[in-house]
Amino acid sequence: MMLYKDFYSLFIWFSYYDFENYKAINYIFPVSIIGLFGLISIFLKTPKTLSVKNTFRESWLVIILNLALTILFIIILKEHNGSEFLYLLFPIAIILANGLELVERTLIKEVLITVFFLCSLAVYFL
């Protein structure tokens, strides 16, 4: 009887929706910059990708699904300490790289890459 209780207790979902840790300036600044550029990249690249029928379209949809599942996973985690952003590295890196690919001017690309670099350094000084 005890074995069944332990087994069923594994299926009890508990989420702790306290995002107080993310209100610190060292989280808000880089997450907002990367999130903003990520959303811009998604909105600019998705229509062009969906209009052409090739293998990249399927890969793009898988990356978007991966990003959505990762965000859902971060929301339902019990403990929010900042390490969950490691799950976002893969989909966001691919989305941002494809977004930078759309920019035609080299100067704008270099400015955006410099902003990302300064954003990563600013975390340690804020």
Coordinates of all heavy atoms in Angstrom, one line a residue, residues 6 26 34 38-39 61 64 66 68 76 79 86 92 100:
D6 N 3.5 6.3 -2.7 CA 4.8 7.0 -3.2 C 4.7 7.2 -4.7 O 5.1 8.2 -5.2 CB 6.0 6.1 -2.8 CG 6.3 6.1 -1.3 OD1 5.8 7.1 -0.7 OD2 6.9 5.2 -0.9
N26 N 20.4 42.8 -12.4 CA 21.4 42.0 -13.2 C 20.7 40.9 -14.0 O 21.3 40.3 -14.8 CB 22.4 41.4 -12.3 CG 21.9 40.6 -11.2 OD1 20.7 40.6 -10.9 ND2 22.7 39.8 -10.5
I34 N 18.0 40.5 -24.7 CA 18.0 39.3 -25.4 C 16.6 38.9 -25.8 O 16.3 38.5 -27.0 CB 18.7 38.2 -24.7 CG1 20.2 38.6 -24.6 CG2 18.6 36.9 -25.4 CD1 21.0 37.6 -23.8
G38 N 15.3 38.7 -29.6 CA 14.8 37.4 -29.9 C 13.4 37.5 -30.5 O 13.1 36.8 -31.5
L39 N 12.5 38.3 -29.9 CA 11.2 38.5 -30.5 C 11.2 39.1 -31.8 O 10.5 38.7 -32.8 CB 10.3 39.3 -29.5 CG 9.8 38.5 -28.3 CD1 9.0 39.5 -27.4 CD2 8.8 37.4 -28.7
L61 N 10.5 25.5 -37.2 CA 9.3 25.2 -36.4 C 9.7 24.4 -35.1 O 9.2 24.6 -34.0 CB 8.3 24.5 -37.2 CG 7.6 25.3 -38.2 CD1 6.6 24.5 -39.1 CD2 6.9 26.5 -37.7
I64 N 11.3 26.9 -32.7 CA 10.3 27.7 -32.0 C 9.6 26.8 -31.0 O 9.3 27.3 -29.9 CB 9.3 28.3 -33.1 CG1 10.1 29.2 -34.0 CG2 8.2 29.0 -32.4 CD1 10.7 30.4 -33.4
N66 N 10.8 24.3 -29.4 CA 11.8 24.1 -28.4 C 11.8 25.3 -27.4 O 11.9 25.1 -26.2 CB 13.2 23.8 -29.0 CG 14.2 23.4 -27.9 OD1 14.0 23.5 -26.7 ND2 15.4 23.0 -28.4
A68 N 9.4 27.4 -26.9 CA 8.1 27.5 -26.2 C 8.1 26.5 -25.0 O 7.7 26.8 -23.9 CB 7.0 27.2 -27.1
I76 N 7.2 26.3 -14.8 CA 6.7 25.4 -13.8 C 7.8 24.8 -12.9 O 7.5 24.0 -12.1 CB 6.0 24.2 -14.5 CG1 7.0 23.4 -15.4 CG2 4.9 24.6 -15.3 CD1 6.4 22.1 -16.0
E79 N 12.2 25.8 -8.2 CA 13.2 26.7 -7.7 C 13.7 27.6 -8.8 O 14.2 27.1 -9.9 CB 14.3 25.9 -7.1 CG 15.4 26.7 -6.5 CD 16.4 25.9 -5.8 OE1 16.1 24.8 -5.4 OE2 17.6 26.3 -5.8
L86 N 20.1 28.5 -18.6 CA 21.0 27.7 -19.5 C 20.2 26.9 -20.5 O 20.6 26.5 -21.6 CB 21.8 26.7 -18.6 CG 22.8 27.4 -17.7 CD1 23.5 26.3 -16.8 CD2 23.9 28.0 -18.6
I92 N 17.6 30.2 -28.2 CA 17.8 31.7 -28.4 C 19.1 32.0 -29.3 O 19.0 32.9 -30.1 CB 18.0 32.4 -27.0 CG1 16.6 32.5 -26.3 CG2 18.5 33.8 -27.1 CD1 15.6 33.4 -27.0
L100 N 20.2 37.8 -37.1 CA 21.3 38.6 -37.5 C 21.6 38.4 -39.0 O 22.1 39.2 -39.7 CB 22.6 38.3 -36.7 CG 22.7 39.0 -35.4 CD1 23.9 38.5 -34.6 CD2 22.8 40.5 -35.6

